[in-house]
Amino acid sequence: MNGIVGSRVPLVDGPLKASGSALYTADLTLPGMLHGAIVRSPEAHARIVSMELWRAMEEPGVSAVITGDSYPRSFGVLPITRDETMLAVGKVRFRGEGVAAVAATSPEAAQRAARQIKVIYERLPEYEDPEASAATVTEKIHAHSPGMTNLQKEVRQEFGPVEEAFRTAAHVVTVRGKFPGVTHAALEPHAVLAHYTPDDRLTVWSSTQVPHYLHRALSEVLDIPEHRVRVIKPEVGGGFGGKGDPMPHEIVAAALSRETGRPVRIVLSREEVFYLNHGRHPTRHTLKLAADAEGHLMGFDLDALIDGGAASSFGTVTTYYNGVLATGPYRIPAFRYHGRRGYTNRPASGAMRAHGSVNTRYSMEVAIDMLAEELRMDPMALRMRNFLSPHTTTINEFRITSNSVVRCLEASRARSSWDTKYRKLPVGRGIGVACGFFISGSNSPIHFTPPFPQSTVHLKIDVDGGVTIHSGASDIGQGSKTIVSQIVAEVLGIPLARVRVAAVDTDSAPVDLGSYSSRVTFMMGNAARCAAEDMLRQWQKAAEEITGRPSAEFRAHDGRLEAPGNISISYLEAVHQAMRHHGALQSSGAYESPSLGGKFKGARAGTSPAYSFAAYVAEVEVDVDLGRIHVKKVWAAFDCGRPLNPMLVEGQIEGSIHMGLGQLLGEEMRYRGTRLMNPSLLEYRTLSPVEMPEVECLLVGEEDPEGPFGAKEAGEGPLPPVLPAVANAVYDAVGLRFTELPLTPDRVWRALRQKERGGGLQKPPAPKVDAR
Amino acid sequence: MKLRVNALEYLVDPPAERLLVDLLREDLHLTGTKRGCDDGSCGACTVLVDGAPQHSCLTLARLVSGRDVTTIEGVSPGRLSRLQRSLVETGGLQCGFCTPGMIIAALALLQRGTPSRDDILEAISGNFCRCTGYAKIVQAIERAAQEEGGR
Amino acid sequence: MLADPFELHEPASIAEAVALAKRYCGDVRFLAGGTDVLPGLFRGLHTVRHLIYLGRIPELHVFDPIRGVFGAQTSMASLERDPVVRQRFVAVSLAAHAAAGPALRTSATLGGNLLVDTRCTFYDQSRFWREANEGCLKADGTECRVVSQGSRCYAVYSGDMAPPLLALGATVDIEGLEGRDSKPLEDLYSPGGDGRLSHALPEGALLVAVRLRDPNLWSSYSKLRARGAPDFPEGSIAIGIHETDGRLDHFRIAVGGIDTRPLVMNEITRPWLGKPMSDEVVEATVESVGRRLHPVANTALLTDYRKHVVTRFLRTDLARYLALRSKELTSSTPAGRVG
């Protein structure tokens, strides 16, 4: 081993970012570039009666005005649910939906012209509540919903003897959870630059997590063959799921460029980003857990209703994930799930970090805490009794490989001094625990026919001796460029500085399904390792030609190829030797996901080649007077297999905790009816640095058999456990169970007052069975 | 009007409503300064004006005439300063979008001496980061301050 | 985000500024640090064709903490950091420190903060948002969206500087059409209590300076905001106290972030003058102040909570004074918090 994988390597693009030289989409300009602006609907649900465009056309500097009627083809990230159009066609389904677009010589000219477009609407009934959407409606939001409902998706799954489990259980606990929507709030607002050139080619630079899906959507909507569309991903200022779908403005810019024959750039305002949303679904659910008298889980029953907003996005997957991702890390012998996703006239919900699993995980871990109390058991002991083992199968036929959840729980217990704190801290202070489980990449690609590899990586080396990596995986800040560089340098035994990652460009990079579902390290990492091993074989063969020693004897190390008996040549010698045959060297590696999952409907949702596990402990102090929850410290034990770069893994954990605590303590897409009340970073309240607790990361995973160098995901799984860990700590502190988020100080204060009126605050009872 | 940015003098004639952030990004092509919100809440557009941190999205370009503006590009041209290096090496940046504003805010702090942890939190409290959870940013600034102090 | 074109004037003297304001009467705004006026302009909340920038007027930059004179252009950052302000006018320095984030405080000014546009969830929105909501009493509409059938506007005074200055008994110098005038800071705010007016200055009049007389008062400032930073107050309270020979000769309380203007509680505190500060005074004051607070649901936090926290702050801050007093009758120990 060369020690590059596994070490705390700083981001390879760090110096560019720290000096302000890294280029993001909004930083790019082209000669003759125009600026686009989108006219947005002030109505949440309305028929478009008429549009008056001529005033906008006559504004100075305006080059084109377009409407949805000319671009009626629908798109959507999932091929089975294409229900978005780049601009509204016939009717609008949410406030903020685009209805027309303008290209002009400056952003100001474009906005000024956009304001001149007069649209007459005829209001339709507005739906703000998915409960109403599931019932009979007078006006359907989308024609394809079943019957006269606004349902988008309904899932029913049942495994094992559910009825019997709940009938015979010694203990049943129920949690009724209510969660508002939250959104990604990546710091970079979405931006796109499109250039349709006279050779009938379209080039689009965009702030996207998945260039490949954008590539497909542009081709489909604009009816341009895929081979004439090129997508380039510059630096992306954060995604978290919010840049995973092809988005309307990306296609609008391309359409405007084709209309005007000039490059067109669109940079969204922060408010527009809020209307784009595609964030975490507002959720209501009832979760029940059954257990026997010894605390063995017997059954799980969940009924969830999620608010999809006005489009499908990833919602079909989300609907499944709300249920199926709860089948770990515990053994569930009987499982029932009923999930529904309703359309409403709000900005679409979609995928957001720890997609579909956060809200269910919250209620599940709270339910386990409640169960432990009923059983008078330490919640850690209860969890220990129920963990899935490594190398097993869940009730819904997920294949589990490596699993270090036991080590996670032990580590967080020891480091947090759990045994001296649980139920022993004074009133107002508390400690809580929760676990986690997440996929390392969705095993079934969204576009699964024909079965292409999920990720392909190409390497190229020429006379200069630098290895260029071509990959379609998107670095959106998480550091995938660094990880792929480490893997390639590790295999080839060359310094990191000899490796460079080409920008994602669909003309030159092989297809990768992009940055979502925590798939990149696992899938691209495996592809990169294969590509590097292929390259190494070419070098070894050349080394054999030079030295006469069998190629298999050569190990790559420190920029040299070394064989037993002090035989050593520089890698460049080998490269130059190999190049005599066919010039610059190339190699390719691919990752194809294994065949996984059962045979039932929806069996593939949630299957993954590997799963991450987690056990977090949080300690809190509740200011009873002011209702504030101060999270003092989080011990985050995480099993990402072998961490390829512990510094980046810690960064993912710390960032996840920040985001998870944000959802728990303050973040909320605040609606009145269909109206979003807080579309700004001032009023949508992410945590400030002052509220951020100390975080101790405990990376205790063991190597995964199929992960690249034993690695699994670390991008999303670190998020969900922190919310219930803190909620359980709050219960330990003041005896209050919260099942509705967020826990803003005013709501906590109200609950505390009620509790005080009902007999005062006190510690919940201590367990009889302790953590051992 | 004359404008000094990163020790270079520019002759510009912005309209009254031109914001400094747009002048820097669109007219001078100094795109290191970022725009993340539209109301002065995110801090990505922070620049130094006569040495003090200021939101360039809340500043009319015309009003910095004759003053000294430092953007991220002017912090340490051509190589990384101690603070920038510390951010890279500590993992205090991920997507990098908040980084220029964060560095400018921290720079203003470090100029005033060795800060406490609370000073650091306070100094970056107007700068949003959605990736790092701030932990490694604070560490990086602490580290840079120590190195600066031990120089 | 689009501002209509405007003309920017940069007068070098107060006389010039006032003359400009008179010339463009009805179509003009003064621009101080810009942190409030510019977002308002870009959101279409103000549509004026003339801005008069005040930063080039030397007199407005007077900064004399020894004499207690602060020009309207004094930056929040200098109020926060100046050691003399910190020592003599504790609450002023605390309040300046509690506003927004450090970069904003470089630009933001004392005058701008005192005259900051009142805020409301239905008002502080983009032009698009407000049009989609068909406006409100304060902008582009005829109905209040917070209180149904409301005939007045409930937008909240959301600055940080008025409460401490009011508690310390500040006066302000104003340059009006009839010349220079000095009056109590209270008079800067509309007695009618309509949130449409952020202040009671006649159009064209200019706030020149704030004056604090007594550097020996004990003072405190506590602020409720959603996060550690950088939010506007959703309730804040400042106290100024002085006792001579164990008897109150200055006792003032002012509340911000609750009503359309900062509330001065003189009728509650005045009767205690001449008496010693005591637990009895604390109890009576907290109760009376609580009865004066009537927040409406136009910020993010629940109204009963905002009221609770403000009275809670009042109680703890007064208790802190009492504790200090029992040690020795002294002044200038920092008090207050931001939470």
Side-chain angles (χ1 to χ4, degrees):
Chain A
M1 296 307 271
N2 289 305
I4 298 170
V5 149
S7 65
R8 304 174 72 87
V9 173
L11 290 185
V12 293
D13 48 7
L16 291 182
K17 289 173 173 174
S19 57
S21 4
L23 291 175
Y24 301 77
T25 305
D27 301 336
L28 305 177
T29 49
L30 285 174
M33 185 175 85
L34 299 175
H35 299 265
I38 295 174
V39 183
R40 295 189 182 272
S41 164
E43 297 293 333
H45 199 192
R47 231 180 296 286
I48 299 172
V49 176
S50 66
M51 267 195 260
E52 189 184 273
L53 308 175
W54 63 270
R55 277 199 189 86
M57 289 298 297
E58 288 183 359
E59 279 285 312
V62 170
S63 176
V65 178
I66 59 174
T67 66
D69 288 342
S70 319
Y71 299 89
R73 292 192 185 198
S74 61
F75 65 93
V77 66
L78 303 185
I80 46 168
T81 56
R82 290 171 215 237
D83 56 9
E84 293 175 72
T85 50
M86 68 174 226
L87 295 168
V89 180
K91 77 168 191 172
V92 291
R93 296 180 170 86
F94 67 99
R95 190 172 286 107
E97 182 172 4
V99 292
V102 178
T105 48
S106 70
E108 293 78 15
Q111 284 179 55
R112 217 159 263 136
R115 258 165 60 186
Q116 294 303 319
I117 293 177
K118 304 281 175 256
V119 185
I120 296 176
Y121 298 96
E122 180 194 324
R123 283 189 185 165
L124 298 170
E126 291 181 13
Y127 299 96
E128 64 199 54
D129 181 355
E131 198 77 61
S133 293
T136 304
V137 297
T138 53
E139 180 71 30
K140 292 174 75 168
I141 295 172
H142 287 280
H144 56 251
S145 287
M148 277 311 284
T149 73
N150 279 325
L151 270 185
Q152 186 256 320
K153 178 73 187 171
E154 183 158 17
V155 171
R156 284 181 197 277
Q157 287 191 335
E158 187 164 340
F159 308 99
V162 177
E163 287 298 332
E164 194 198 322
F166 278 89
R167 203 177 53 243
T168 58
H171 300 275
V172 173
V173 291
T174 304
V175 175
R176 288 190 178 80
K178 196 174 168 197
F179 306 82
V182 290
T183 200
H184 320 84
L187 202 55
E188 179 206 22
H190 299 59
V192 60
L193 169 60
H195 195 193
Y196 193 91
T197 41
D199 55 355
D200 287 327
R201 287 180 187 273
L202 170 66
T203 305
V204 171
W205 292 259
S206 188
S207 174
T208 176
Q209 294 175 228
V210 192
H212 178 63
Y213 295 161
L214 175 58
H215 189 175
R216 282 177 180 250
L218 288 164
S219 163
E220 283 162 13
V221 177
L222 301 175
D223 197 17
I224 306 170
E226 276 187 49
H227 65 89
R228 307 190 82 83
V229 176
R230 177 182 181 195
V231 176
I232 299 172
K233 182 207 73 79
E235 294 301 338
V236 172
F240 315 113
K243 294 167 181 169
D245 301 52
M247 293 292 188
H249 65 276
E250 295 173 306
I251 309 174
V252 166
L256 284 171
S257 177
R258 188 162 66 176
E259 299 265 341
T260 60
R262 296 171 67 168
V264 174
R265 191 174 80 190
I266 297 179
V267 181
L268 296 191
S269 71
R270 178 52 63 179
E271 184 179 6
E272 287 178 292
V273 174
F274 274 92
Y275 299 140
L276 206 58
N277 190 27
H278 289 63
R280 190 161 346 278
H281 290 64
T283 302
R284 253 173 275 169
H285 63 216
T286 303
L287 182 147
K288 291 181 185 161
L289 277 186
D292 67 15
E294 282 75 51
H296 299 104
L297 293 180
M298 295 173 67
F300 171 100
D301 188 8
L302 174 68
D303 194 319
L305 178 62
I306 62 176
D307 176 358
S312 285
S313 178
F314 279 95
T316 296
V317 178
T318 321
T319 313
Y320 277 110
Y321 277 7
N322 265 271
V324 299
L325 294 184
T327 57
Y330 310 108
R331 250 186 345 262
I332 312 277
F335 172 91
R336 178 161 61 200
Y337 172 52
H338 178 217
R340 289 171 300 161
R341 182 177 189 268
Y343 286 119
T344 60
N345 295 113
R346 289 174 171 180
S349 306
M352 178 170 161
R353 198 178 205 171
H355 181 193
S357 75
V358 176
N359 300 343
T360 306
R361 175 63 49 201
Y362 180 86
S363 294
M364 175 134 180
E365 297 295 324
V366 166
I368 289 177
D369 212 56
M370 291 162 68
L371 208 51
E373 190 175 353
E374 273 202 33
L375 286 152
R376 302 298 300 272
M377 271 177 89
D378 182 291
M380 287 209 172
L382 178 61
R383 284 179 169 82
M384 278 295 182
R385 202 159 280 191
N386 286 285
F387 282 138
L388 290 167
S389 61
H391 305 288
T392 183
T393 304
T394 65
I395 182 123
N396 58 339
E397 300 184 52
F398 289 172
R399 183 198 69 169
I400 305 296
T401 53
S402 64
N403 171 0
S404 300
V405 70
V406 170
R407 288 169 64 155
C408 286
L409 196 68
E410 280 168 349
S412 56
R413 176 178 156 218
R415 291 297 304 166
S416 66
S417 309
W418 173 268
D419 297 349
T420 64
K421 292 177 180 167
Y422 180 69
R423 295 290 192 264
K424 291 173 187 151
L425 296 169
V427 176
R429 287 177 57 199
I431 195 163
V433 62
C435 292
F437 168 77
F438 203 74
I439 57 173
S440 290
S442 169
N443 198 67
S444 47
I446 286 171
H447 299 269
F448 32 71
T449 49
F452 299 125
Q454 288 236 19
S455 180
T456 306
V457 171
H458 288 171
L459 303 182
K460 189 217 89 178
I461 183 166
D462 212 323
V463 284
D464 63 300
V467 176
T468 306
I469 302 172
H470 291 282
S471 156
S474 297
D475 198 324
I476 55 173
Q478 84 279 42
S480 66
K481 276 196 247 179
T482 307
I483 294 294
V484 74
S485 303
Q486 284 180 265
I487 288 174
V488 169
E490 174 74 41
V491 173
L492 296 178
I494 54 176
L496 208 56
R498 296 289 171 106
V499 176
R500 58 207 169 204
V501 186
V504 178
D505 177 340
T506 57
D507 267 9
S508 54
V511 169
D512 179 284
L513 296 186
S515 289
Y516 66 97
S517 85
S518 286
R519 53 181 297 288
V520 175
T521 292
F522 198 97
M523 298 188 177
M524 175 207 65
N526 271 320
R529 186 177 186 170
C530 290
E533 283 166 354
D534 179 13
M535 177 64 76
L536 181 62
R537 277 191 293 276
Q538 299 178 45
W539 296 3
Q540 287 166 323
K541 197 161 155 253
E544 180 179 323
E545 286 171 19
I546 297 169
T547 63
R549 295 292 293 261
S551 64
E553 284 185 9
F554 285 91
R555 297 281 168 272
H557 180 68
D558 222 2
R560 306 191 70 78
L561 293 162
E562 295 167 348
N566 275 339
I567 294 183
S568 168
I569 60 170
S570 87
Y571 84 99
L572 259 182
E573 273 180 79
V575 167
H576 290 167
Q577 168 67 24
M579 281 182 62
R580 289 177 189 207
H581 307 300
H582 24 244
L585 307 186
Q586 297 178 60
S587 72
S588 179
Y591 176 78
E592 226 171 312
S593 41
S595 165
L596 295 175
K599 295 279 174 281
F600 52 92
K601 187 169 193 295
R604 283 195 288 201
T607 57
S608 175
Y611 296 87
S612 68
F613 293 86
Y616 285 14
V617 167
E619 191 173 333
V620 305
E621 207 173 294
V622 180
D623 182 333
V624 176
D625 242 7
L626 299 178
R628 285 200 191 262
I629 297 168
H630 299 287
V631 184
K632 311 305 283 183
K633 184 161 181 180
V634 177
W635 292 267
F638 195 75
D639 166 20
C640 61
R642 178 177 179 215
L644 301 187
N645 186 329
M647 185 167 83
L648 299 194
V649 172
E650 289 166 13
Q652 289 300 308
I653 293 176
E654 289 157 359
S656 289
I657 285 175
H658 175 262
M659 199 175 271
L661 287 179
Q663 180 180 355
L664 182 78
L665 301 176
E667 291 179 32
E668 176 178 10
M669 295 282 275
R670 222 165 58 235
Y671 287 97
R672 286 212 185 172
T674 56
R675 193 179 309 282
L676 181 61
M677 297 301 292
N678 56 342
S680 72
L681 287 182
L682 187 62
E683 299 296 330
Y684 179 87
R685 284 157 177 172
T686 62
L687 290 194
S688 84
V690 183
E691 283 94 36
M692 189 60 191
E694 188 188 340
V695 174
E696 185 174 327
C697 298
L698 306 162
L699 306 181
V700 296
E702 292 168 297
E703 289 195 12
D704 182 81
E706 293 177 25
F709 297 95
K712 301 189 284 189
E713 74 94 19
E716 303 186 73
L719 190 152
V722 74
L723 293 85
V726 170
N728 290 338
V730 169
Y731 182 75
D732 185 46
V734 294
L736 269 179
R737 285 275 178 224
F738 287 97
T739 56
E740 291 187 19
L741 303 190
L743 311 185
T744 51
D746 48 344
R747 294 179 209 183
V748 172
W749 172 77
R750 264 194 189 174
L752 285 163
R753 285 302 78 79
Q754 250 164 22
K755 173 98 178 164
E756 276 175 351
R757 278 197 294 273
L761 299 177
Q762 49 195 313
K763 295 295 276 191
K768 288 180 182 145
V769 183
D770 70 13
R772 280 152 291 229
Chain B
M1 63 177 241
K2 279 183 187 168
L3 181 66
R4 257 179 97 73
V5 183
N6 301 333
L8 288 178
E9 200 153 277
Y10 293 83
L11 272 177
V12 290
D13 187 18
E17 64 273 16
R18 195 75 161 153
L19 293 169
L20 179 57
V21 63
D22 296 325
L23 179 98
L24 292 170
R25 289 179 50 81
E26 308 297 331
D27 302 341
L28 309 187
H29 304 293
L30 294 168
T31 54
T33 302
K34 301 301 182 203
R35 222 183 206 288
C37 66
D38 305 298
D39 54 10
S41 57
C42 83
C45 71
T46 310
V47 298
L48 294 177
V49 178
D50 292 341
Q54 198 165 316
H55 293 270
S56 60
C57 78
L58 295 179
T59 306
L60 293 178
R62 287 253 298 270
L63 298 179
V64 290
S65 153
R67 304 178 70 182
D68 233 316
V69 177
T70 306
T71 69
I72 185 67
E73 289 91 344
V75 166
S76 181
R79 62 191 172 86
L80 296 189
S81 67
R82 221 177 239 109
L83 173 64
Q84 288 166 309
R85 217 170 47 232
S86 178
L87 269 155
V88 174
E89 288 168 1
T90 312
L93 59 84
Q94 289 182 30
C95 85
F97 203 79
C98 75
T99 308
M102 200 67 82
I103 286 170
I104 296 284
L107 213 58
L109 172 76
L110 294 179
Q111 285 166 355
R112 294 203 302 267
T114 307
S116 69
R117 201 179 170 80
D118 283 346
D119 292 340
I120 295 173
L121 290 176
E122 155 61 25
I124 61 169
S125 64
N127 293 75
F128 283 13
C129 169
R130 191 59 161 167
C131 295
T132 64
Y134 301 100
K136 294 199 186 317
I137 294 176
V138 175
Q139 275 169 31
I141 298 171
E142 271 176 338
R143 221 180 91 176
Q146 281 158 10
E147 285 177 21
E148 205 99 345
R151 190 166 40 167
Chain C
M1 294 291 115
L2 180 62
D4 290 324
F6 51 77
E7 208 175 315
L8 183 61
H9 306 273
E10 302 179 45
S13 72
I14 289 177
E16 209 185 317
V18 172
L20 279 164
K22 192 175 170 191
R23 185 184 322 155
Y24 300 115
C25 182
D27 198 11
V28 66
R29 270 192 102 91
F30 289 120
L31 177 71
T35 56
D36 180 42
V37 168
L38 291 179
L41 272 172
F42 280 81
R43 291 172 151 186
L45 292 172
H46 329 301
T47 45
V48 292
R49 276 177 298 177
H50 298 274
L51 282 188
I52 303 172
Y53 178 58
L54 303 173
R56 311 242 186 257
I57 304 171
E59 199 184 339
L60 298 180
H61 288 279
V62 168
F63 183 74
D64 188 346
I66 304 283
R67 284 174 48 236
V69 186
F70 304 97
Q73 283 294 117
T74 300
S75 78
M76 301 281 275
S78 38
L79 287 173
E80 165 195 6
R81 288 214 197 103
D82 184 81
V84 181
V85 177
R86 267 196 206 178
Q87 196 219 330
R88 297 184 161 210
F89 309 112
V90 177
V92 171
S93 138
L94 283 173
H97 180 72
L104 208 111
R105 298 198 291 269
T106 308
S107 314
T109 65
L110 172 60
N113 194 274
L114 287 172
L115 302 173
V116 70
D117 200 6
T118 53
R119 297 179 61 85
C120 170
T121 5
F122 291 88
Y123 171 72
D124 289 283
Q125 300 282 2
S126 69
R127 189 194 298 265
F128 167 78
W129 195 100
R130 286 177 285 120
E131 283 173 3
N133 195 36
E134 293 166 10
C136 72
L137 270 184
K138 190 166 159 76
D140 341 297
T142 53
E143 265 179 66
C144 178
R145 305 287 165 189
V146 182
V147 176
S148 65
Q149 324 269 294
S151 58
R152 71 173 180 106
C153 165
Y154 293 86
V156 180
Y157 168 76
S158 303
D160 281 291
M161 298 316 296
L165 291 169
L166 288 165
L168 293 172
T171 58
V172 287
D173 295 353
I174 293 179
E175 183 83 10
L177 298 174
E178 286 89 42
R180 189 70 56 96
D181 194 10
S182 184
K183 47 175 138 182
L185 175 56
E186 285 92 313
D187 293 0
L188 208 56
Y189 300 99
S190 147
D194 193 297
R196 275 172 282 198
L197 296 174
S198 301
H199 55 79
L201 276 186
E203 187 171 352
L206 183 61
L207 173 63
V208 175
V210 175
R211 291 176 187 275
L212 287 169
R213 288 205 167 71
D214 193 342
N216 298 313
L217 305 179
W218 180 91
S219 67
S220 70
Y221 179 70
S222 293
K223 167 177 178 177
L224 167 66
R225 59 183 171 189
R227 295 173 285 195
D231 302 311
F232 284 96
E234 297 208 28
S236 66
I237 192 157
I239 308 168
I241 298 177
H242 192 262
E243 288 177 279
T244 304
D245 302 330
R247 298 191 179 273
L248 286 164
D249 51 12
H250 179 110
F251 182 27
R252 286 169 68 98
I253 294 171
V255 171
I258 293 285
D259 214 310
T260 55
R261 64 208 153 106
L263 299 172
V264 190
M265 304 290 176
N266 282 349
E267 68 281 25
I268 294 170
T269 52
R270 205 177 289 126
W272 299 110
L273 294 177
K275 299 177 180 129
M277 178 56 88
S278 65
D279 290 330
E280 184 205 350
V281 181
V282 174
E283 286 310 315
T285 308
V286 168
E287 204 190 312
S288 311
V289 168
R291 278 201 300 270
R292 287 274 322 268
L293 307 179
H294 308 287
V296 297
N298 57 0
T299 67
L301 296 171
L302 295 167
T303 50
D304 55 345
Y305 176 73
R306 287 162 64 198
K307 187 171 159 166
H308 159 76
V309 173
V310 170
T311 49
R312 190 78 217 170
F313 282 162
L314 176 61
R315 184 185 295 279
T316 47
D317 290 345
L318 285 175
R320 204 171 304 157
Y321 172 78
L322 270 182
L324 195 75
R325 178 187 189 270
S326 67
K327 274 191 239 158
E328 52 170 328
L329 286 174
T330 180
S331 62
S332 75
T333 301
R337 63 176 141 177
V338 176

